[in-house]
RNA sequence: GCGGAUGUGGCGGAAUCGGUAGACGCGCCGGCUUUAGGUGCCGGUGGCCGCAAGGCCGUGGGGGUUCGAGUCCCUCCAUCCGCACCA
C-alpha cells in the first residue's frame, strides 16, 4: 500500500469485486426483508453522461445504500430511454443508423456508470429500443386500445415544421417546439391519442396520496386546470341553433352584453359571409400560437351581424368573432361579461359595447365577489350563494347544467418519425383499424434508407414492411407508419424492472406487487409535468385493467437541483461544462460524488467550484491517511469513552437523521469531516482503540457517499465488508454530555456562558446564571423584573 | 398578470421545534516542516471602535408579535422557476 490516497488503485478493485460477485443483484423471492424500490429517472443516452447524471446517481445511490444497511431489500435498477429525436437527427446528418449511435452512447454510459461505482442491479438493465422491451410497449398499447383508451381522431394539432412531426400539448413551450425551438403550427391531422382527460379527476385527487414536493403537485394541478361552472345555451335565431358556452361565473349572466366565437369555430363562416369576417378569420388562422398569445396583444375582433338570446333575460346580444377566444378550450364560444372579466372589458371598451355591472364591489372590471345587482330574481343575493341556484334554475328551464372543464388535453402520442416504437395496428380497407395480434408482436422497426421526415413517417417508404395482410380478413392491408411518443416508453419502464427478463408477459404480477410502487423516485424537476403525469396516467389505466395493484407509480419523489458553474447553467456554448469523465480521471469517483453532495442540499442547485472539490479530496485523503498503518482487529473502543468516541457517536446520530429523514447529504458529510478533524487534532493524546473506532465509524458513515474508500478502509480495519454491516447505531448515553454551556442573557442578549451540569434543576440553573460576574457588571444595579429559564439551555434576565 | 420558491461573511452553505447566528468547506492571513516551490500539519478569519479588557452593529429593506426572531405575522424590494387570453 502506498502512503498516498490513490483512488485509481482503490476504485477499480471494488468495482470489479461488485461486478464479479453481483453484489447489488436482488431476487424477486421474498426473504422476509422489507422490499424497497429506489429509482433514478431513466437517462436518455446521448453522447456521454453529464454532471446532472452524476448528481442524480450520487443521491440515489446514497439512499439505496442507506436503506440496504437499514435492513431493506433494495431494488436499484438502471436502463436507457433509447428512442428519440437526437439519435434520429444524427442519423439524418450522417446516415449512421440511430441504433448504432444509440448503442455506442449506451456503451459509454455503461462504462462511466460502472466507473462511478453505483450499486445497480445490472441483471435488470435494458434499453427501450430493444425489441424485447418495445414488444411489451406495443402489447400495453393494445390493451389500452381495447379498453378504448387509445383512439384515433382528426384534430387541430401542434406541428413542428423543423422536426416535421406533431407534438403533444406538453411539448409546446411558449408556442415553440420543446426540442428545437421552432414556432409550431396548427394542422388538422388524424392522430392517435390516449384518453388521459378521462383520468383528470383521479390524477388530481390522488396527488393527496403521494409524498411529492409541493411545487411539483402545484404544477400538476395547474396543468390539469380543473374549473367548475356551467354550460349555458344561447339560442341564435338567425340559424335556429343553440350555442353552448362554458362559464365559471353563471352568476354574472345578467351582465352578458355580447357573445364571442373563436375564429376556428366552424359556424363563423355560416353566420357571416362578409369579406371583413372572412379576412379576419383567415389572418387569425395563419398566425402562430406564439403571435396570437403575445402578452400585450390588442383585443381584435369583428361583428358577425347576428345575435343570440341571453337565456336569463331574453335579451338579444350581438355576436363577434375574436381571436382571444380559443377553439380548444370549452366550446370555442363564450358569453362576454365586460363588467366582470378583464378580457371582455378590454374588448368592450375597444368596440364601444355596453358594460353592465351585476356584482357590487370595486372598480370595473371587477372579478371579486359581492351582492348581485340588476340580476332579476337574484338581485341582492351574495353572488357565490346565488351561483348554484342559478345553475339549478337554468337546468329547470333546459338552458344549462353544471359542468367541469379542464385545461388538460388528451395525450397525442403518434409521431411521424422513424426512431420510435411502431404503433402495432394495420389499416384494412375492409375492417378499418385492426390490432396486430399479440402473438405477432413485436412489430419490428424496419431498416430504411432515408430517415428524413417529409411530412409523413419515414417508415412509409419501407414498402415491403408497410404492405401486409389484415389479421381479421386476410386481405391486403397497410401497417400504421407512425411511431409512438418516447414518453410512452418511459411511462412503464419502472414496471419492467421488476421482472425485466420475462418473455411471456411485460411483468409477473407477483413481482410487480412485491416492488411497486417505487418508494423513492429521484430526478430533475423538468419532468414535473410531462413524464410524471404520463406515468401516473399509465399506472391508473393499468390498474383499471387489473394489470397492476397500485394507483400511483412513485410514492415519494425527490427533485434534485441543477448544478451550475459561475452561477450559470453548464452548457457547451458557454464553455463551462465539467465532464464527469475528467473528474473521475483526476480525482476519482468518490471525490466527485462527495463533492457534488457536499456543495449544498441536493434539492437545491449547487455552484461548481474547482477549488471546492480539492477540499473534499483533501478530506478523503486525510481519512485515508488516518487509517494508514492501522492493523486489522477489533474496533470497540477500550475503557471510558473519550471526547473522540462521543464525537463519533454524535456523527452516527447526525448522519442517520440527516440522510434518512431529509436527504441532507451536505451536512452528513460535514459531520464525518468533523470526526476526522477531531481525530487529527487529538491524535497524539488519544487512545489507539478510540482512534480505530473513529476511523472505522467515519469509513462506515462515508460509505453511502464514497463507497470505494469506505469499503477499503473498513476492510483494512476489520476484514469485513462494510455494505454487509448494519448501519451503525448511536449510543444515546454517549450523545448526552455531562455538562453543557449555559447561556446567560439580559433582555435576550448574550452576556456570558458558564459550565453547568447536564440535567440541572431549574432553580439551580438560575442560581448558576446569577453567579456570573459578567452578569453583575452588566446589570449595574438594575432590578430584575422577570427571569426566563429554558432548562438545559439558557437563563434570560429581563430588566428595567 | 396568476402561482411557487429563494434572499445569511469575500464565496458555497449551516443553524432540523421561537432559545449561543455563521457548523463544514473554499478563499485569505500567520506559524511549523522544507534548500525552495508544492504537499502536509497547527492556529486565526462577519463588520466597526479599542493597545487591551471590552463595547457596538449584524441574517434583502421597513414595521409588528415575544422575555427572546435568520426562524412567526404584515408590508415592500430583488432574483429564480412554473403557467399565462383557459372564459
Amino acid at each position: 500500500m502506498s502512503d498516498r490516497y490513490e483512488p485509481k488503485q482503490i476504485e477499480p478493485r471494488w468495482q470489479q469485486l461488485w461486478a464479479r460477485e453481483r453484489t447489488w443483484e436482488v431476487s424477486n423471492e421474498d426473504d422476509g426483508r422489507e422490499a424497497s424500490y429506489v429509482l433514478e429517472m431513466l437517462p436518455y443516452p446521448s453522447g456521454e453522461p453529464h454532471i446532472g447524471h452524476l448528481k442524480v446517481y450520487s443521491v440515489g445511490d446514497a439512499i439505496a445504500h442507506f436503506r440496504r444497511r437499514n435492513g431493506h431489500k433494495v431494488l436499484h435498477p438502471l436502463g436507457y430511454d433509447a428512442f428519440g429525436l437526437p439519435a434520429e437527427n444524427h442519423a439524418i446528418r450522417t446516415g449512421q443508423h440511430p441504433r448504432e449511435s444509440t448503442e455506442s452512447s449506451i456503451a459509454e454510459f455503461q462504462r462511466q456508470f460502472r466507473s462511478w461505482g453505483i450499486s445497480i442491479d445490472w441483471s435488470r438493465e435494458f434499453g427501450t429500443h430493444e425489441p424485447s422491451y418495445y414488444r411489451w410497449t406495443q402489447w400495453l398499447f393494445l390493451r389500452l386500445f381495447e379498453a378504448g383508451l387509445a383512439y384515433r381522431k382528426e384534430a387541430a394539432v401542434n406541428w413542428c415544421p423543423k422536426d416535421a412531426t406533431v407534438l403533444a400539448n406538453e411539448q409546446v413551450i411558449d408556442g415553440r417546439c420543446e426540442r428545437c425551438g421552432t414556432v409550431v403550427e396548427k394542422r388538422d391531422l388524424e392522430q392517435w391519442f390516449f384518453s388521459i382527460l378521462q383520468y383528470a379527476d383521479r390524477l388530481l385527487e390522488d396527488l393527496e396520496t403521494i409524498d411529492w414536493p409541493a411545487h411539483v403537485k402545484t404544477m400538476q394541478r395547474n396543468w390539469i386546470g380543473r374549473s367548475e361552472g356551467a354550460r349555458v345555451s344561447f339560442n341564435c335565431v338567425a340559424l335556429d341553433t343553440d350555442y353552448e358556452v362554458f362559464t365559471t361565473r353563471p352568476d354574472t349572466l345578467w351582465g352578458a352584453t355580447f357573445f364571442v366565437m373563436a375564429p376556428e369555430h366552424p359556424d363563423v363562416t355560416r353566420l357571416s359571409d362578409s369579406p371583413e369576417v372572412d379576412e379576419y378569420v383567415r389572418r387569425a388562422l395563419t398566425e402562430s400560437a406564439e403571435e396570437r398569445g403575445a402578452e400585450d396583444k390588442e383585443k381584435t375582433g369583428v361583428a358577425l351581424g347576428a345575435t343570440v338570446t341571453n337565456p336569463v333575460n331574453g335579451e338579444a346580444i350581438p355576436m363577434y368573432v375574436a381571436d382571444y377566444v380559443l377553439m380548444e378550450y370549452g366550446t370555442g364560444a363564450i358569453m362576454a361579461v365586460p363588467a366582470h372579466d378583464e378580457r371582455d372589458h378590454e374588448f368592450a371598451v375597444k368596440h364601444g359595447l355596453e358594460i353592465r355591472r351585476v356584482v357590487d364591489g370595486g372598480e370595473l372590471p371587477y372579478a371579486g365577489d359581492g351582492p348581485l345587482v340588476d340580476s332579476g330574481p337574484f338581485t341582492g343575493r351574495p353572488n357565490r350563494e346565488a351561483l348554484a341556484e342559478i345553475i339549478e334554475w337554468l337546468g329547470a328551464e333546459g338552458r344549462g347544467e353544471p359542468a367541469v372543464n379542464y385545461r388538460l388535453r388528451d395525450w397525442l402520442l403518434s409521431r411521424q418519425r422513424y426512431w420510435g416504437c411502431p404503433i402495432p395496428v394495420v389499416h384494412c380497407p375492409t375492417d378499418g383499424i385492426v390490432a396486430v395480434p399479440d402473438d405477432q408482436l413485436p412489430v419490428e422497426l424496419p431498416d430504411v434508407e432515408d430517415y428524413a421526415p417529409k411530412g409523413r413517417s419515414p417508415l412509409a417508404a419501407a414498402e415491403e414492411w408497410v404492405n401486409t395482410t389484415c389479421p381479421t380478413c386476410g386481405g391486403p392491408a397497410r401497417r400504421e407508419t407512425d411511431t409512438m411518443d418516447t414518453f410512452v416508453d418511459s411511462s412503464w419502464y419502472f414496471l419492467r424492472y421488476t421482472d425485466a427478463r420475462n418473455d411471456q408477459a411485460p411483468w409477473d404480477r407477483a413481482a410487480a406487487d412485491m416492488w411497486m410502487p417505487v418508494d423513492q423516485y429521484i430526478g430533475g424537476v423538468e419532468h414535473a409535468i410531462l413524464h410524471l403525469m404520463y406515468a401516473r396516467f399509465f399506472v391508473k389505466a393499468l390498474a383499471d385493467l387489473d394489470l397492476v395493484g397500485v394507483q400511483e407509480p412513485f410514492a415519494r419523489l425527490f427533485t434534485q437541483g441543477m448544478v451550475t458553474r459561475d452561477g450559470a447553467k453548464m452548457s457547451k456554448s458557454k464553455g463551462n461544462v465539467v465532464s464527469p469523465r475528467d473528474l473521475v480521471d483526476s480525482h476519482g469517483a468518490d471525490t466527485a460524488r462527495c463533492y457534488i453532495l457536499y456543495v449544498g442540499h441536493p434539492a437545491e442547485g449547487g455552484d461548481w467550484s474547482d477549488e471546492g472539490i480539492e477540499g473534499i479530496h483533501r478530506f478523503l485523503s486525510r481519512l485515508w491517511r488516518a487509517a494508514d498503518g492501522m492493523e486489522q482487529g477489533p474496533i470497540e473502543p477500550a475503557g471510558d469513552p473519550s471526547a473522540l468516541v462521543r464525537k463519533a457517536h454524535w456523527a452516527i446520530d447526525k448522519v442517520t437523521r440527516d440522510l434518512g429523514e431529509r436527504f441532507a447529504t451536505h451536512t452528513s458529510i460535514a459531520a464525518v469531516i468533523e470526526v476526522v478533524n477531531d481525530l487529527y487534532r487529538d491524535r497524539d493524546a488519544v487512545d489507539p482503540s478510540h482512534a480505530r473506532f473513529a476511523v472505522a465509524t467515519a469509513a462506515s458513515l462515508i460509505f453511502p457517499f464514497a463507497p470505494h474508500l469506505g469499503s477499503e478502509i473498513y476492510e483494512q480495519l476489520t476484514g469485513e465488508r462494510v455494505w454487509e454491516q448494519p448501519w451503525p447505531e448511536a449510543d444515546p448515553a454517549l450523545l448526552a454530555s455531562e455538562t453543557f454551556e449555559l447561556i446567560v442573557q439580559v433582555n435576550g442578549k448574550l452576556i456570558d456562558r458558564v459550565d453547568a451540569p447536564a440535567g440541572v434543576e431549574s432553580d439551580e440553573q438560575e442560581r448558576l446564571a446569577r453567579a456570573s460576574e459578567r452578569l453583575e457588571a452588566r446589570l449595574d444595579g438594575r432590578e430584575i423584573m422577570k427571569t426566563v429559564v429554558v432548562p438545559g439551555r439558557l437563563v434570560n434576565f429581563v430588566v428595567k
Side-chain angles (χ1 to χ4, degrees):
Chain A
M1 201 184 251
S2 124
D3 59 351
R4 268 186 57 199
Y5 170 48
E6 304 268 17
K8 275 209 169 93
Q9 287 171 20
I10 296 171
E11 294 180 355
R13 223 181 50 236
W14 291 102
Q15 286 157 16
Q16 283 155 21
L17 184 142
W18 294 329
R20 194 170 59 238
E21 302 194 353
R22 303 169 170 228
T23 310
W24 313 118
E25 291 184 16
V26 282
S27 85
N28 287 345
E29 300 298 317
D30 185 5
D31 60 9
R33 285 182 298 168
E34 188 178 337
S36 200
Y37 191 172
V38 177
L39 183 65
E40 299 86 0
M41 287 181 189
L42 186 71
Y44 179 81
S46 172
E48 55 179 285
H50 53 71
I51 206 88
H53 290 113
L54 182 60
K55 180 165 179 177
V56 75
Y57 292 106
S58 299
V59 174
D61 209 34
I63 295 168
H65 279 310
F66 184 74
R67 288 185 174 221
R68 280 191 198 100
R69 292 184 58 198
N70 278 284
H72 292 218
K73 174 180 183 175
V74 174
L75 174 59
H76 189 212
L78 174 61
Y80 307 93
D81 187 16
F83 277 134
L85 275 183
E88 183 167 347
N89 289 337
H90 176 81
I92 293 164
R93 276 198 315 276
T94 65
Q96 188 187 25
H97 196 291
R99 187 184 301 115
E100 286 174 27
S101 58
T102 299
E103 289 184 349
S104 74
S105 280
I106 287 178
E108 180 60 20
F109 271 59
Q110 287 170 328
R111 199 190 65 71
Q112 291 202 36
F113 286 159
R114 282 174 170 81
S115 80
W116 300 348
I118 47 179
S119 61
I120 295 296
D121 179 348
W122 294 107
S123 73
R124 298 172 189 251
E125 182 187 29
F126 56 76
T128 57
H129 69 302
E130 294 165 13
S132 57
Y133 178 83
Y134 72 68
R135 169 187 180 182
W136 300 112
T137 307
Q138 293 174 340
W139 188 91
L140 291 167
F141 171 88
L142 292 175
R143 300 293 83 76
L144 294 186
F145 177 59
E146 289 161 3
L149 293 173
Y151 66 92
R152 242 173 110 80
K153 77 165 182 201
E154 187 176 310
V157 297
N158 301 302
W159 174 266
C160 172
K162 175 140 183 290
D163 288 337
T165 183
V166 297
L167 299 170
N169 231 24
E170 289 79 1
Q171 288 165 320
V172 180
I173 311 293
D174 294 335
R176 290 170 179 272
C177 172
E178 176 199 41
R179 292 231 74 99
C180 68
T182 308
V183 172
V184 304
E185 302 164 358
K186 287 283 178 193
R187 284 205 183 176
D188 284 309
L189 291 170
E190 192 174 292
Q191 297 290 327
W192 284 97
F193 292 85
F194 283 134
S195 304
I196 190 170
L197 196 46
Q198 211 172 299
Y199 285 78
D201 280 332
R202 283 166 64 187
L203 288 167
L204 210 50
E205 287 160 15
D206 287 352
L207 285 172
E208 304 300 326
T209 68
I210 49 182
D211 185 6
W212 284 20
H215 67 281
V216 176
K217 290 189 182 183
T218 304
M219 279 163 74
Q220 291 219 344
R221 269 188 211 107
N222 293 342
W223 190 262
I224 295 167
R226 185 181 199 274
S227 311
E228 277 183 34
R231 231 186 317 272
V232 185
S233 295
F234 285 70
N235 185 261
C236 174
V237 185
L239 289 185
D240 190 26
T241 317
D242 275 347
Y243 288 113
E244 288 200 317
V245 302
F246 172 74
T247 176
T248 54
R249 296 293 305 277
D251 55 315
T252 62
L253 263 163
W254 276 267
T257 54
F258 56 101
F259 187 95
V260 191
M261 280 180 157
E264 295 87 350
H265 199 292
D267 283 5
V268 165
T269 46
R270 287 178 59 209
L271 282 157
S272 167
D273 54 5
S274 85
E276 214 191 339
V277 169
D278 200 53
E279 164 65 18
Y280 183 81
V281 169
R282 203 189 344 240
R283 224 187 44 226
L285 296 188
T286 53
E287 251 185 343
S288 70
E290 195 190 31
E291 289 164 335
R292 187 164 160 182
E295 198 173 338
D296 45 6
K297 187 166 192 286
E298 276 191 37
K299 294 274 173 294
T300 59
V302 181
L304 290 171
T307 61
V308 289
T309 309
N310 185 336
V312 296
N313 57 13
E315 220 173 283
I317 57 175
M319 297 178 84
Y320 281 77
V321 56
D323 66 3
Y324 80 92
V325 174
L326 308 175
M327 194 61 212
E328 315 86 89
Y329 187 81
T331 61
I334 62 155
M335 68 172 203
V337 184
H340 304 293
D341 181 280
E342 208 176 303
R343 298 151 298 175
D344 297 344
H345 187 265
E346 198 186 320
F347 189 87
V349 167
K350 188 143 184 270
H351 295 84
L353 295 159
E354 187 192 348
I355 298 168
R356 189 188 300 163
R357 176 190 283 276
V358 291
V359 180
D360 210 14
E363 203 181 312
L364 298 183
Y366 174 68
D369 294 332
L372 295 177
V373 294
D374 291 333
S375 298
F378 295 95
T379 301
R381 299 286 309 285
N383 69 318
R384 287 290 149 189
E385 262 176 46
L387 198 148
E389 288 170 45
I390 291 171
I391 296 176
E392 215 169 287
W393 180 83
L394 285 167
E397 298 285 308
R399 306 305 304 175
E401 59 191 351
V404 175
N405 239 292
Y406 302 89
R407 211 189 85 106
L408 184 71
R409 305 289 135 76
D410 272 347
W411 171 10
L412 197 172
L413 72 110
S414 40
R415 297 289 181 274
Q416 291 70 52
R417 298 296 303 235
Y418 172 75
W419 190 232
C421 174
I423 295 173
V425 300
V426 301
H427 298 270
C428 168
T430 325
D431 298 304
I433 294 170
V434 181
V436 173
D438 289 352
D439 60 14
Q440 289 174 31
L441 299 182
V443 174
E444 281 204 49
L445 200 54
D447 287 339
V448 296
E449 296 290 310
D450 183 1
Y451 305 104
K454 298 178 176 68
R456 58 168 197 175
S457 169
L459 289 181
E463 277 296 320
E464 270 183 40
W465 178 84
V466 171
N467 289 308
T468 183
T469 52
C470 170
T472 304
C473 68
R478 293 178 64 81
R479 289 193 189 278
E480 169 67 60
T481 56
D482 283 357
T483 53
M484 294 186 212
D485 181 0
T486 55
F487 280 107
V488 181
D489 308 326
S490 55
S491 288
W492 74 280
Y493 77 102
F494 42 88
L495 286 159
R496 183 63 177 172
Y497 285 138
T498 66
D499 196 15
R501 298 290 171 259
N502 194 330
D503 59 4
Q504 303 299 309
W507 57 82
D508 174 63
R509 179 62 190 270
D513 284 350
M514 170 174 182
W515 294 113
M516 289 296 291
V518 173
D519 295 282
Q520 185 62 60
Y521 201 37
I522 305 138
V525 73
E526 63 273 19
H527 295 107
I529 294 171
L530 289 150
H531 163 58
L532 290 171
M533 184 84 80
Y534 292 149
R536 294 183 62 217
F537 156 69
F538 238 72
V539 164
K540 288 184 189 308
L542 297 177
D544 288 352
L545 298 170
D546 201 27
L547 292 167
V548 293
V550 292
Q551 288 293 326
E552 287 288 338
F554 315 121
R556 264 177 296 275
L557 174 68
F558 179 85
T559 53
Q560 47 156 351
M562 196 173 38
V563 182
T564 56
R565 195 179 188 192
D566 310 320
K569 189 172 173 172
M570 287 189 194
S571 75
K572 280 184 194 140
S573 58
K574 288 197 201 83
N576 62 349
V577 176
V578 177
S579 135
R581 188 160 43 106
D582 294 347
L583 272 178
V584 170
D585 245 24
S586 57
H587 292 83
D590 284 341
T591 297
R593 291 173 58 163
C594 281
Y595 178 63
I596 230 165
L597 295 177
Y598 180 69
V599 269
H601 192 285
E604 309 286 319
D607 203 57
W608 185 269
S609 137
D610 289 335
E611 292 81 41
I613 195 169
E614 299 299 338
I616 280 293
H617 193 71
R618 213 166 322 190
F619 153 63
L620 293 177
S621 304
R622 277 157 72 85
L623 175 56
W624 190 88
R625 279 197 308 270
D628 196 26
M630 284 186 178
E631 300 287 323
Q632 203 170 297
I635 58 162
E636 280 312 304
D640 288 339
S642 57
L644 182 62
V645 169
R646 286 176 184 276
K647 184 73 173 194
H649 278 270
W650 166 84
I652 292 169
D653 181 61
K654 172 93 177 144
V655 177
T656 305
R657 286 183 297 113
D658 281 1
L659 181 58
E661 291 164 23
R662 48 186 205 119
F663 304 121
T665 55
H666 59 328
T667 49
S668 297
I669 295 169
V672 185
I673 294 176
E674 286 196 49
V675 173
V676 174
N677 287 350
D678 280 12
L679 170 67
Y680 265 75
R681 206 167 296 129
D682 302 342
R683 68 191 140 178
D684 294 331
V686 90
D687 179 312
S689 82
H690 293 195
R692 288 178 58 80
F693 176 72
V695 172
T697 301
S700 178
L701 294 177
I702 207 66
F703 168 76
F705 315 104
H708 310 89
L709 184 64
S711 301
E712 178 83 14
I713 294 177
Y714 201 85
E715 189 196 50
Q716 182 195 329
L717 264 63
T718 67
E720 308 277 355
R721 295 170 164 184
V722 66
W723 62 87
E724 291 171 358
Q725 306 307 310
W727 187 252
E729 259 184 73
D731 181 348
L734 297 181
L735 290 178
S737 72
E738 283 158 8
T739 60
F740 72 97
E741 205 171 56
L742 172 62
I743 301 306
V744 183
Q745 293 181 335
V746 170
N747 291 344
K749 261 173 101 90
L750 176 79
I751 297 304
D752 201 1
R753 307 158 205 255
V754 297
D755 274 341
V760 70
E761 294 287 319
S762 285
D763 290 356
E764 174 65 7
Q765 185 173 318
E766 183 179 337
R767 201 191 59 74
L768 283 166
R770 277 180 190 276
S772 158
E773 278 170 32
R774 297 174 61 146
L775 173 70
E776 194 159 337
R778 207 46 198 278
L779 286 175
D780 197 22
R782 286 178 296 179
E783 188 192 347
I784 295 170
M785 316 284 291
K786 187 179 171 186
T787 307
V788 181
V789 178
V790 182
R793 224 177 248 284
L794 58 81
V795 178
N796 185 18
F797 297 102
V798 185
V799 302
K800 207 170 359 172

